[in-house]
Amino acid sequence: MNYKIRDISFAEQGRSQLEWAEKHMPALLSIQKDLEREKPLKGVKIAAVLHVTKETGVLMKTLRLAGAEIALAASNPLSTQDDVAAALVKFHDVSVFAWKGENEKEYYSNIEALLDTNPEIVMDDGGDLHAYIHERGISNVIGGTEETTTGVVRLKAMEEQGILKYPVIAVNNAFTKYLFDNRYGTGQSAIDGILRATNILIAGKVCVVVGYGWVGRGIASRLRGLGGRVIVVEANPLRALEALMEGFVVTNMKEASKIGDIFVTATGNIRVISTEHIMNMKDGAILSNAGHFNVEIDVEGLRKIAKSSRIIRPFTEEITLPNGNKVYLLADGRLVNLAAGEGHPSEVMDLSFSNQALSVVYLHKSKSKLSPKVYDVPSEIDERVARLKLSSMGIEIEQLTEEQIEYSKQWKYGT
Amino acid sequence: MNYKIRDISFAEQGRSQLEWAEKHMPALLSIQKDLEREKPLKGVKIAAVLHVTKETGVLMKTLRLAGAEIALAASNPLSTQDDVAAALVKFHDVSVFAWKGENEKEYYSNIEALLDTNPEIVMDDGGDLHAYIHERGISNVIGGTEETTTGVVRLKAMEEQGILKYPVIAVNNAFTKYLFDNRYGTGQSAIDGILRATNILIAGKVCVVVGYGWVGRGIASRLRGLGGRVIVVEANPLRALEALMEGFVVTNMKEASKIGDIFVTATGNIRVISTEHIMNMKDGAILSNAGHFNVEIDVEGLRKIAKSSRIIRPFTEEITLPNGNKVYLLADGRLVNLAAGEGHPSEVMDLSFSNQALSVVYLHKSKSKLSPKVYDVPSEIDERVARLKLSSMGIEIEQLTEEQIEYSKQWKYGT
Amino acid sequence: MNYKIRDISFAEQGRSQLEWAEKHMPALLSIQKDLEREKPLKGVKIAAVLHVTKETGVLMKTLRLAGAEIALAASNPLSTQDDVAAALVKFHDVSVFAWKGENEKEYYSNIEALLDTNPEIVMDDGGDLHAYIHERGISNVIGGTEETTTGVVRLKAMEEQGILKYPVIAVNNAFTKYLFDNRYGTGQSAIDGILRATNILIAGKVCVVVGYGWVGRGIASRLRGLGGRVIVVEANPLRALEALMEGFVVTNMKEASKIGDIFVTATGNIRVISTEHIMNMKDGAILSNAGHFNVEIDVEGLRKIAKSSRIIRPFTEEITLPNGNKVYLLADGRLVNLAAGEGHPSEVMDLSFSNQALSVVYLHKSKSKLSPKVYDVPSEIDERVARLKLSSMGIEIEQLTEEQIEYSKQWKYGT
Amino acid sequence: MNYKIRDISFAEQGRSQLEWAEKHMPALLSIQKDLEREKPLKGVKIAAVLHVTKETGVLMKTLRLAGAEIALAASNPLSTQDDVAAALVKFHDVSVFAWKGENEKEYYSNIEALLDTNPEIVMDDGGDLHAYIHERGISNVIGGTEETTTGVVRLKAMEEQGILKYPVIAVNNAFTKYLFDNRYGTGQSAIDGILRATNILIAGKVCVVVGYGWVGRGIASRLRGLGGRVIVVEANPLRALEALMEGFVVTNMKEASKIGDIFVTATGNIRVISTEHIMNMKDGAILSNAGHFNVEIDVEGLRKIAKSSRIIRPFTEEITLPNGNKVYLLADGRLVNLAAGEGHPSEVMDLSFSNQALSVVYLHKSKSKLSPKVYDVPSEIDERVARLKLSSMGIEIEQLTEEQIEYSKQWKYGT
């Protein structure tokens, strides 16, 4: 077996990490047991480009126990946990090509190494791998999965242009994926990141949440739960109306910028906090971003007008404005939950990776029926993941009676 | 102009009712002003079968001011407000054929009178009118609207069977309709109905909400807001998981039936509270329904096993079970918000009827482009209604910049 | 046995009322069982001036079963339930002197009749009875209880002036009394009253709560639970700060008056909503009071400036202001929970009357040790009531270990 | 001027720290401005034993600007910020005797040095300084302040035993101190500490809060705000009843121990989580303490029965029980908000230290009127601090009119 990692001697420590992660990934663990017994992926070659973390480690182990042969590279050169990489090589025969701090050349050479294994199924996080395969030319690949919104958008564009060569399952679109990731995962971790960066008291503060999508909803309700006075800024009237009905104050950015103590962006759009808005702000305002990229706050523009700037605490930069006011930019406007916090808890990845594992099995089983399109995760998988999560938490949900199943069908089809 | 109502002399009193309703229907009022100026329905003949209430009165007045000629009958023989009917006839030249307490023969004869006007557009609440027209044979009708889920289900069945003869807009499917109606309208009014029927204290009580759809969500969050300990029973694992993540206790009906003080059903399904569950319940348990029909609680079965029964308060029936325990059935298991309360506030009908008014105009304008199908309310209308509601409440939402509109398009289509 | 009531033949119906009330007064019922066994009030003469309602009926029955001889008159001529009065006479040998609609002369003559029984213990609701006894001269009375804040204030003034002749237990000051009465009882019933009067939707409305004492706290948190955007107006900086830390918007009345949709007063003070404030308000504003008297809103002033006024719905009066705006005054500015709703649920009276029953027993047992002062309810009684309520709801609370009791003593006294 | 610190060259960096703290201590800053103008402490000698942090630095600076001469030592040898110490010496002429990492001998020698300055007013945090002064003999001291509950308990014991020699103001008892410190400060920071230690998802977890005092209330409501299913364990029936009425599930520790995912203690008592409880727990349970000492969880007992133990993450120890289950002990059972988090935000210390500053001034002004007792902070000071905080946040609260002030007096004294 081929591999290229930092140091195989880290394996024992990596095994502890995998054990700890498994404790918080009960749904995936339960799938692991089923797949280990059934071996539905016996001999199937898989290549995965994912963050090489302990949670990914559990996913890899699960697919191995299902019978697959796996090669793994990193989707981000900085997120690799070298001990996990070592444990995957030593104890689970995964061909890992990843280490923390790879340079760009090494990053692509590792992806090359992956593709040299002639994978049948490819798993990606961001769409780079899929793009690369299409460039280099497809051979064995019968299908793939994609973890992120960004990746799905790229793949859909490829589908529309008619150049997608194999079916891809958009794991990102599973209800159990985006509900957890966005409302609960980012909702909590964004606040965690803000508190770690600043140690401010939320109670009584005017908190401006810009964007009331899934992430914004999660953040707004949690800030309220901590005693914040929450203002929602939203351009979509349907979402704005819903925020209002949930009891939030709703206004536009111009007004909100004058009264906010803490600003959190979650729109997926650009410059939603502009330098003009920042010049309106109170002395001491805090600026943070929980949306996708570091473009939601106009950091570039802010730097241009700044009189001076200094780091006050880790991830907290004090910027003095032309009018003498100071604002505090967190994590340079990058995702505050990842930069200043630790990103998603294992519980969140449990759901996401349960969808991944079952989607890979589904791809293999259904290969003859699928076309080169972007597919949603089948609702049976989504529901199965929810059921596993619930039962792992000891929850028994209601079962419909025969009569009720019959009734709801009639109702659906008209009587 | 033809009409048939209780008493034209009620007109003055009816006018006061319309004024009061208009005060709480600012979005529809704003549409009224635009339509009065533009007269887009000049000479268009409309027949409507709706509850003849003050809110419907405002809708009829709006369509009249838009230029339409209108005939109106009642969708339910018991809900007609005779003073409103009189005001519509006297001050707004609407041909009303409705009075409170019509018998079945009168009800159908009124619908006949309506159809004798040769309407081009038909508005319905439940699907009876649409069914009747299809039976009797279509002549002038170019399209219709439907207010309810039940009606939409019937119309979709007709569409699937290929027998639908004209396009129908499913007003029920507008976001601004179902969000308000279900989560906020029924969410609040169901609790209002329970309190009027029982005058119990919610704080500290174990409240079991059966069904976590839009209605159940609204009820559960409001009961929590009143200090109840809320348990959610739900058969769909995705919804159950969401309820759990929102901090509710989730379990099945068997367990919940043993510990609940107050039960509220909102599933749309049958016998979700069975006699077996009722026999599990604590002495003093309260049973109510906020779902669609009086089938969610097995009232029939309950009556069969009851040792005795008496009315304790209006809408509150004490039923003694074979084991000597007493349970309290509200409003005979019918919709507690309508039976024991007053149903939806005018604010809720404002949104629903704004969609109705704009959908009628849309039908007329687009008649050449539409096929005999069930259509959703166009999202432009839905968003316009939301905008009008927000601005009537003095809310200014965020406006996207050119750059942001451009960015979000790129993002959508991939970069 | 002497008595004077409307009609003894109402007794059977009154018995049903008592049964229904007992079902929601489990703590008092449990005390009833203990007292019936122990008979601590054997032969003790009690005179009570209370609202003659079904809940008071259960209290009277309890004291009778404890062995007391009781005479009862009404604390308010309009609140007497004649069927309950009849049942108390017929089935429980209580000397009732009360009927619905007594005139002033009859009211005082009934109190006279009461005092003619030479009571040893007197129970009052408002202080009228205590004042009357002191005027007429004391003979047998060894002590009394007082239910209301108003009464306690009067009695404390008498104590300070050195004219109080017997010990009085201020039931109002029990934690289990005022917590339930104010935060939970009035908190819920005020909103119930507003909804019954108006049937408006709370979600999205700007709700101004004037006063952040126990009542205001309850109302504010429940309005938020229904989706309202809550603003708190408070003159005490400590309370204002607490409201702010709980996430409410805090401002003064001048600002709040410009933006509120619904106003609820709960300050115990005078003209907290003045005509000047009302002239600031938006067209359509709703005015209600949940404080003590109908002085919190300047109703008198409002009537003086009003251009016209009419009743729109029961308890809802539309008042047209000089500037043409309309405001809606609920229940004429009187307590909206009592006037437009049904006042406190039985569960609330359960706590209050459990304190009453145990305080009477305590007065009798401790008569030799008490001086002519106003006493708080002994904390043992308060805690016992809480324990009974909890266990009646099936709640088992934590028991301290010997070690823990010892530790907390050391801690208290210093180590 | 005498002093003993780590390194005077840290002064510049310390000045930045003071500036940052001042930004979040607006109430104290406003007091600082008044005192600087009035100089009420001109020439008064003060000795303070407090945590030498940036917030304490702002308090010292404030007293200096008020005219006092100050000596400062550390109340805890590990909490000293050496740069702040340097800045106080260099820029504010405070005689600091403190550095991070003093040994016990040095600690006491520093307190000696302090007393050698012959202080008139002494400020303490825990009561050590007061005890020491009483031991060594009082000379100049006219009064003191005490920051903590522990210290106040000790001083009250001294007062009861008649050995207290000077008046002490219990800053801890100010409403603006304990409300912020406990409900908001610890309420938020305890959760912050748990998240930093574990990075778990709160949503959907069963969170057991042991103790429903001020700290427990704050923690419970915030955990609920994050989507947790909160169970309250409480031995006091009044508090237990209140928790129930707020919608929490209330039960005893035995039952709670079987179902909890996360446990947080806040009782001030001993072994509230015993090894017996721990043996009941689910595999994976998390144990943390936010009460006063590390005795609330029986850590000693737990270590005795543990089969093995290892550190999984900073502040997270995995302990394997005899039955094979693993539990996770945070911060060794010490205060999780201090150990795993950063303790109170500056905003919290702002209130506490505003009370300190004004209490010192009050002591000096009122020295002739005070006896050797423990006094509460005068309510004028408490209210002034609240007012300053509110106005620093831009909040204008309601002002009573003359008529209202008069009315509330009448009401209070009876009419």
Side-chain angles (χ1 to χ4, degrees), chain C residues 22 31 41 65 89 147 151 238 278 285 357 365:
Chain C
E22 280 182 342
I31 290 168
L41 297 175
L65 292 170
V89 169
E147 174 79 8
L238 299 173
I278 294 172
K365 276 197 188 153

Side-chain angles (χ1 to χ4, degrees), chain C residues 255-273:
Chain C
E255 292 309 309
S257 63
K258 297 173 195 163
I259 50 177
D261 295 307
I262 305 169
F263 294 81
V264 194
T265 58
T267 64
N269 213 320
I270 193 167
R271 266 189 273 278
V272 297
I273 297 185

Side-chain angles (χ1 to χ4, degrees), chain B residues 78-344:
Chain B
L78 289 174
S79 59
T80 298
Q81 295 172 357
D82 288 322
D83 53 356
V84 169
L88 286 175
V89 168
K90 180 152 184 189
F91 302 116
H92 302 293
D93 293 323
V94 176
S95 298
V96 183
F97 299 89
W99 56 93
K100 185 163 187 165
E102 319 167 357
N103 61 32
E104 199 177 327
K105 199 181 141 198
E106 291 167 337
Y107 174 78
Y108 282 105
S109 134
N110 285 334
I111 290 190
E112 282 290 338
L114 224 64
L115 296 184
D116 290 344
T117 64
N118 269 324
E120 297 160 71
I121 292 175
V122 290
M123 305 170 73
D124 200 2
D125 181 296
D128 274 4
L129 176 62
H130 294 304
Y132 203 81
I133 290 174
H134 279 77
E135 235 166 68
R136 188 170 123 152
I138 315 290
S139 50
N140 273 1
V141 179
I142 58 130
T145 66
E146 171 55 47
E147 175 77 7
T148 66
T149 310
T150 322
V152 170
V153 167
R154 289 169 73 178
L155 289 160
K156 288 220 165 164
M158 288 163 72
E159 181 189 335
E160 275 171 32
Q161 294 157 33
I163 60 177
L164 185 68
K165 299 294 185 207
Y166 50 76
V168 178
I169 297 189
V171 170
N172 184 66
N173 294 357
F175 180 83
T176 49
K177 161 73 162 68
Y178 68 76
L179 179 78
F180 262 72
D181 253 48
N182 296 333
R183 188 150 34 145
Y184 303 114
T186 310
Q188 176 182 301
S189 60
I191 290 163
D192 185 29
I194 292 169
L195 291 184
R196 293 195 199 200
T198 63
N199 199 38
I200 54 160
L201 187 74
I202 301 294
K205 290 281 194 314
V206 177
C207 305
V208 179
V209 178
V210 192
Y212 196 69
W214 288 112
V215 170
R217 274 181 181 86
I219 293 172
S221 87
R222 270 134 191 76
L223 285 170
R224 175 144 74 177
L226 287 163
R229 288 176 283 156
V230 179
I231 293 177
V232 170
V233 173
E234 169 62 62
N236 178 307
L238 299 173
R239 288 177 173 183
L241 186 59
E242 192 180 356
L244 193 76
M245 291 297 121
E246 291 294 326
F248 295 110
V249 172
V250 174
T251 188
N252 59 24
M253 196 59 217
K254 192 175 165 192
E255 292 309 310
S257 63
K258 297 174 195 162
I259 50 178
D261 295 306
I262 305 168
F263 294 81
V264 194
T265 57
T267 64
N269 212 322
I270 193 166
R271 268 189 271 278
V272 295
I273 297 185
S274 67
T275 53
E276 215 166 85
H277 296 139
I278 294 173
M279 288 301 295
N280 277 338
M281 288 180 187
K282 295 195 292 189
D283 187 39
I286 292 170
L287 306 177
S288 66
N289 169 36
H292 64 155
F293 294 136
N294 61 341
V295 296
E296 305 215 3
I297 300 167
D298 185 1
V299 173
E300 211 184 333
L302 176 57
R303 296 218 177 288
K304 272 190 199 136
I305 63 169
K307 275 171 56 183
S308 67
S309 133
R310 57 175 178 163
I311 298 296
I312 287 281
R313 291 167 51 101
F315 306 109
T316 303
E317 182 181 0
E318 181 186 82
I319 294 174
T320 306
L321 301 179
N323 60 8
N325 278 353
K326 293 173 166 70
V327 295
Y328 296 87
L329 178 67
L330 305 192
D332 206 29
R334 285 171 293 124
L335 281 168
V336 74
N337 59 330
L338 291 173
E342 297 181 54
H344 290 320

Side-chain angles (χ1 to χ4, degrees), chain A residues 153 180 183-184 234-235 242 245-246 251-253 269-271 395-398 403-404 407 411, chain B residues 153 183-184 234-235 242 245-246 250-253 269-271 395-398 403-404 407 411:
Chain A
V153 167
F180 262 73
R183 190 151 32 146
Y184 303 115
E234 170 61 64
E242 192 180 357
M245 291 298 121
E246 292 294 326
T251 189
N252 58 25
M253 196 59 218
N269 212 321
I270 193 167
R271 266 188 273 276
I395 306 296
E396 287 190 39
I397 67 170
E398 185 65 357
E403 181 191 50
Q404 287 169 344
Y407 185 83
W411 171 247
Chain B
V153 167
R183 188 150 34 145
Y184 303 114
E234 169 62 62
E242 192 180 356
M245 291 297 121
E246 291 294 326
V250 174
T251 188
N252 59 24
M253 196 59 217
N269 212 322
I270 193 166
R271 268 189 271 278
I395 307 296
E396 287 190 41
I397 67 169
E398 186 64 359
E403 180 191 50
Q404 287 167 343
Y407 184 84
W411 169 248

